[in-house]
Amino acid sequence: AQSVTQLGSHVSVSEGALVLLRCNYSSSVPPYLFWYVQYPNQGLQLLLKYTSAATLVKGINGFEAEFKKSETSFHLTKPSAHMSDAAEYFCAVSSNTGGFKTIFGAGTRLFVKA
Amino acid sequence: SAVISQKPSRDICQRGTSLTIQCQVDSQVTMMFWYRQQPGQSLTLIATANQGSEATYESGFVIDKFPISRPNLTFSTLTVSNMSPEDSSIYLCSVEESGTEAFFGQGTRLTVV
């Protein structure tokens, strides 16, 4: 079975500060890992994905994440927060076995202060 | 990438009634997935729908409440039956492509009154 744990339901940063959203996963098979963003009243947008290639993955809007197998982590970072980054962020895991179900974490709401 | 269209985009329904949500994909896909996102919550997988076979439901979801059809490789429907206010959620259709990524429709925002 696969699962995802996102540490912190809410994260608040100042504009220009580092963004760090934490995600730990559990998977009995090599995982595919994703970060999605959801803006208010909008659908899901894929930020980035890890699919067993480079462990440091760069995504859209300046976000990146590093896959650390030893720590079973896939934390999302951005060097400098922008007001437009305020949204809900979901970490998700799936695999190429068992039908490619995508399992989502509980989500982390990012607040950006001026 | 797959383009997914969901209908309706939103609806307000009376309790005790049923609503059928349609999901249309612009390409043939083997697996389609239905998710629910309750207010302020994350996405929860309801079921996996394969063409030509019965849907596979996740724990906590049953066919009588959420019947699913998958008549071909580009289309699926999810029915929310005998609705109650607790069914008020966003329902999302999803497909997998290239074995590495899931794509989502914009969702159906359901309010049950």
Side-chain angles (χ1 to χ4, degrees):
Chain A
Q2 298 177 309
S3 66
V4 174
T5 301
Q6 290 185 240
L7 299 177
S9 59
H10 297 84
V11 170
S12 181
V13 301
S14 298
E15 191 173 22
L18 171 73
V19 175
L20 171 61
L21 305 182
R22 299 178 186 272
C23 172
N24 288 90
Y25 71 91
S26 172
S27 178
S28 58
V29 297
Y32 296 157
L33 294 160
F34 309 86
W35 277 99
Y36 288 88
V37 61
Q38 187 176 38
Y39 297 99
N41 299 315
Q42 295 191 25
L44 286 172
Q45 180 180 9
L46 181 69
L47 274 179
L48 49 80
K49 63 182 179 182
Y50 166 78
T51 57
S52 76
T55 57
L56 181 62
V57 181
K58 294 186 183 297
I60 62 172
N61 301 339
F63 284 93
E64 63 181 39
E66 186 172 8
F67 172 67
K68 292 187 176 180
K69 184 177 180 179
S70 61
E71 299 177 7
T72 62
S73 68
F74 190 58
H75 301 329
L76 181 71
T77 61
K78 181 174 180 178
S80 176
H82 191 273
M83 297 296 289
S84 62
D85 294 326
E88 187 87 20
Y89 291 81
F90 295 98
C91 183
V93 63
S94 70
S95 69
N96 203 16
T97 59
F100 200 79
K101 295 186 296 186
T102 304
I103 305 301
F104 286 82
T108 298
R109 181 165 294 277
L110 176 65
F111 296 92
V112 182
K113 300 174 290 186
Chain B
S1 62
V3 176
I4 302 169
S5 301
Q6 273 188 245
K7 291 181 182 179
S9 59
R10 59 178 62 231
D11 207 343
I12 301 174
C13 300
Q14 296 291 323
R15 66 180 67 198
T17 62
S18 298
L19 176 71
T20 296
I21 302 168
Q22 299 179 2
C23 178
Q24 179 75 51
V25 189
D26 68 344
S27 59
Q28 294 185 340
V29 293
T30 303
M31 292 185 170
M32 297 177 75
F33 305 89
W34 286 98
Y35 288 83
R36 180 176 73 181
Q37 186 177 25
Q38 294 177 301
Q41 304 292 316
S42 184
L43 282 78
T44 301
L45 181 64
I46 297 172
T48 303
N50 294 337
Q51 194 267 336
S53 63
E54 282 195 7
T56 303
Y57 289 84
E58 298 298 306
S59 176
F61 298 96
V62 295
I63 188 171
D64 290 345
K65 177 66 176 177
F66 298 101
I68 289 172
S69 77
R70 183 77 201 276
N72 57 52
L73 291 174
T74 63
F75 187 78
S76 179
T77 67
L78 169 76
T79 298
V80 185
S81 303
N82 188 24
M83 288 184 285
S84 67
E86 291 71 34
D87 295 320
S88 297
S89 296
I90 299 173
Y91 293 85
L92 296 107
C93 171
S94 169
V95 303
E96 168 269 336
E97 186 173 87
S98 303
T100 61
E101 183 177 339
F103 295 90
F104 291 83
Q106 288 299 304
T108 296
R109 185 179 295 271
L110 171 62
T111 302
V112 183
V113 297

